[in-house]
């Protein structure tokens, strides 16, 4: 903060500070202190090592509840043109584009029992996409489909994924319930060999790794979990056999149960109203309150759907992406909580209230964020009747430290007599006992505990192969996990020197967007272009050169400082390594120019037509 608002002797300055306090309704200095205190009490020395995967005795929690009878098949030993690892949104869009560009044998290898990725695994009660489905669901125009609701349910999205798979022949060569275990490059054959947990040995000229950003559920490492005699499961493995009902609710199995939920992130916000409605008693164990704004879901207006002109999805997505990249546009096509946030915080709407106070741009931005979060807290106070509960549900951090949530029943749920907020004061649940969980030295007896504790984020290079669950051995046996142990090295986030004919789709050194489909579409266009060129030019291999890789790494490093400072000041969460920024955060960042610049750069690269930076071998 500059001296102007912070104090100083001159009358005008004091006056400006006073006005800022009056308009906000609080002293910014005190709010900054409050944010710091709230963050500091959540910092843990073990940072993201506080979590564990569902393995090492916890495998049962990772079992696929959708697969009632595991398939049995003979191991495959064959060759395809391209292997796509992952059948989520990225994998299926990329596989479709490759099929459309003339590849006949494109094999998706997917651990789950069907296409859909996140939308396959997550089918918890209340699941819906928190980004507008008209811009989030892939290929709507090609599929001739308009979602039934503005924010579609998870099963509607998964059905759409299946429909894409059927229309574009993706099922023909796909392997489901199959986990890649390792893959090796052979210089001699100019082929990848992909091995799986079903003893498949599949060779392919091209491999695309599209494993998603949040594909592995994580649990807090809590002592005593093995002693707990009740039922536990993670939200990404919902146990409807136990709870009854389905994603719409009707959890009749919980009518006589005391249910606890650990976590209050974007998933928990969608689940909690259903647990509150059906459980006999429902305890929400909160470490950090979520920022929960208005959702306003609604059925699709059929007249509107009929009026859509060709190109509508691309235009709408582009419009949303520009606003959420902080680029002004004349018209806000989506006009929802996401775009409102960006217009308020980054496009000047929120700053208007303070414009006459002579604040710097940074101060104006901070004031707008303070105001936004005050409005979010005010929303809590206006909905939640018990003042103590309302107070505990109020978030104190800048809006984009965590993923903002939008829901119209989450807060209301706390007005039910059977719903109890257990505010752990930033410390979290401490342990399990035979009968329940411990918080602040008190035992809560429970029949069932739902872990809404999120996923291992695939945003840092050293984690990448860990999250995928397999190792990639490039030229001369070079391991990707070793090459990336001190941070990513790539061209465009997609090509890695030493790993010919391999392309990666992830946010690392590429791009990030709140509407992930935007990134998928852009990355898929690049993959399609390169593989088509490779085919047309009759290339054996393409591989990024070391200098081109270095040049991209330098570009990533050059402009990443701002993000680091912001994340460092944030309350812990998966965006900032649970409060401990990894040493590789700068080099693993998404392209700091933003996704618009990133894709502009890729477009120019394609238009040049030289495959610049790639060494090509015929
Ligand atoms: P998150 O990682 O966002 O949240 C995990 C929650 O668990 C946090 O509230 C965390 O608290 C809490 N937690 C962890 N350990 C403990 C503990 N020991 N005691 C108490 N609480 C604990 O996971 P989510 O599954 O909610 O969301 C992950 C991501 O998935 C989202 O950010 C989003 O990208 C995606 N998602 C997308 C949706 C969509 O519609 N597109 C819907 C839902 C999720 P704390 O905050 O203190 O760390």
């Amino acid at each position: 903060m500059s001296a102007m608002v912070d104090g100083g002797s001159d009358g005008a300055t004091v006056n400006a500070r006073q006005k800022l306090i009056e308009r906000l309704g609080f002293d910014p200095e005190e709010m900054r202190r409050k944010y710091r205190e709230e963050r500091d009490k959540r910092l843990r020395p073990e940072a993201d090592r506080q979590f564990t995967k569902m393995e090492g005795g916890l495998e049962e929690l990772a079992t696929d509840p959708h697969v009632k009878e595991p398939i049995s098949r003979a191991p495959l030993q064959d060759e395809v043109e391209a292997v796509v690892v992952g059948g989520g949104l990225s994998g299926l869009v990329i596989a479709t584009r490759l099929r459309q560009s003339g590849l006949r044998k494109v094999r998706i290898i997917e651990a789950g029992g069907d296409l859909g990725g996140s939308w396959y695994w997550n089918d918890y009660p209340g699941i819906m996409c928190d980004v507008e489905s008209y811009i989030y669901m892939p290929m709507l125009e090609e599929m001739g489909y308009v979602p039934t609701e503005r924010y579609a349910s998870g099963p509607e999205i998964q059905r759409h994924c299946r429909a894409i798979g059927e229309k574009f022949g993706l099922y023909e060569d796909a392997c489901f319930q199959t986990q890649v275990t390792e893959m090796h490059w052979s210089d001699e054959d100019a082929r990848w060999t992909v091995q799986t947990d079903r003893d498949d040995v599949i060779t392919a000229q091209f491999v695309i790794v599209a494993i998603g950003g949040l594909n592995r559920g994580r649990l807090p490492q809590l002592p005593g979990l093995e002693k707990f005699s009740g039922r536990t499961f993670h939200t990404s493995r919902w146990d409807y056999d136990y709870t009854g009902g389905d994603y719409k609710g009707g959890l009749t199995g919980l009518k006589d149960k005391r249910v606890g939920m650990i976590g209050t992130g974007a998933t928990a916000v969608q689940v909690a109203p259903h647990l509150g409605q059906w459980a006999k008693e429902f305890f929400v164990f909160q470490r950090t309150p979520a920022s929960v704004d208005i959702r306003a879901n609604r059925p699709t207006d059929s007249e509107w759907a009929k009026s859509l002109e060709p190109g509508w999805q691309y235009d709408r997505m582009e419009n949303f992406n520009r606003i959420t990249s902080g680029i002004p546009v004349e018209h806000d096509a989506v006009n929802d909580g996401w775009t409102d946030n960006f217009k308020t915080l980054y496009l000047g709407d929120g700053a208007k209230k303070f414009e006459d106070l002579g604040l710097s741009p940074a101060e104006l931005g901070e004031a707008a964020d303070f105001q936004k979060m005050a409005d979010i807290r005010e929303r809590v106070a206006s909905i939640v009747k018990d003042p103590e509960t309302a107070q505990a549900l109020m978030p104190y951090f800048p809006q984009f430290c965590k993923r903002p949530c939008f829901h119209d029943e989450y807060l209301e749920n706390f007005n039910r007599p059977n719903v109890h907020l257990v505010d752990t004061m930033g410390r979290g649940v401490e342990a399990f006992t035979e009968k329940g969980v411990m918080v602040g030295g008190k035992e809560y007896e429970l029949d069932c505990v739902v872990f809404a504790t999120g996923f291992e984020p695939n945003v840092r290079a050293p984690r990448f192969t860990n999250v995928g669950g397999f190792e990639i051995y490039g030229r001369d046996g070079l391991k990707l996990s070793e090459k990336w142990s001190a941070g990513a090295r790539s061209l465009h986030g997609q090509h890695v020197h030493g790993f010919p004919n391999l392309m990666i789709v992830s946010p690392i050194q590429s791009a990030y967007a709140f509407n992930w489909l935007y990134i998928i579409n852009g990355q898929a266009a690049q993959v399609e272009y390169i593989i088509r060129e490779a085919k047309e030019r009759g290339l054996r291999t393409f591989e990024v050169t070391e200098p081109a890789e270095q040049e991209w790494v330098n570009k990533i490093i050059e402009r990443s400082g701002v993000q680091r400072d912001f994340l460092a000041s944030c309350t812990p969460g998966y965006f900032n390594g649970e409060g401990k920024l990894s040493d590789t955060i700068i080099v693993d960042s998404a392209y700091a120019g933003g996704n618009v610049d990133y894709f502009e750069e890729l477009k120019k690269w394609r238009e040049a037509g030289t495959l610049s930076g790639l060494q090509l071998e015929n």
Side-chain angles (χ1 to χ4, degrees), residues 191-310:
R191 290 288 180 277
W192 283 97
T193 301
V194 181
Q195 291 165 232
T196 75
D197 62 353
R198 290 181 174 273
D199 298 327
D200 303 311
V201 181
I202 300 157
T203 52
Q205 188 180 4
F206 309 110
V207 168
I208 296 93
V209 180
I211 55 177
L214 299 164
N215 68 342
R216 290 220 157 194
R218 61 181 195 182
L219 309 175
Q221 302 201 41
L222 298 175
L225 175 56
E226 69 292 345
K227 278 192 261 170
F228 179 55
S229 58
R231 185 82 192 125
T232 56
F233 53 88
H234 188 269
T235 45
S236 66
R237 300 287 187 277
W238 196 270
D239 185 354
Y240 284 109
D241 289 342
Y242 179 82
T243 65
D246 60 20
Y247 77 94
K248 291 189 201 138
L251 312 177
T252 50
L254 301 180
K255 276 199 152 159
D256 58 347
K257 302 283 191 296
R258 290 165 63 87
V259 178
M261 181 179 68
I262 303 182
T264 50
T267 299
V269 163
Q270 296 183 343
V271 172
H274 292 277
L275 293 176
Q277 185 183 350
W278 292 96
K280 183 172 146 214
E281 299 291 332
F282 177 43
F283 297 82
V284 178
F285 297 99
Q286 172 183 276
R287 194 163 68 175
T288 309
S291 158
V292 187
D293 212 337
I294 296 167
R295 173 73 303 170
N297 195 11
R298 55 172 186 252
T300 298
D301 174 348
S302 55
E303 291 307 313
W304 172 78
K306 277 188 221 145
S307 74
L308 295 167
E309 303 275 347

Side-chain angles (χ1 to χ4, degrees), residues 389-401:
T389 306
Q391 195 59 45
L393 284 165
M394 293 181 182
Y396 286 92
F397 49 78
Q399 176 74 316
F400 282 103
C401 280

Side-chain angles (χ1 to χ4, degrees), residues 42 44 50-51 119 124 128-131 214 218 220 222 235 262-268 270 285-288 402-403 424 427-429 452-455 572-575 578:
R42 291 173 171 82
R44 294 165 170 240
Q50 68 185 281
F51 295 105
W119 304 104
Y124 53 77
M128 67 164 72
C129 184
D130 66 3
V131 171
L214 299 164
R218 61 181 195 182
L222 298 175
T235 45
I262 303 182
T264 50
T267 299
Q270 296 183 343
F285 297 99
Q286 172 183 276
R287 194 163 68 175
T288 309
K402 286 183 176 281
R403 189 179 179 95
T424 68
R427 287 188 298 271
V429 170
T453 46
F455 303 85
Y574 78 86
F575 284 7
E578 304 300 324

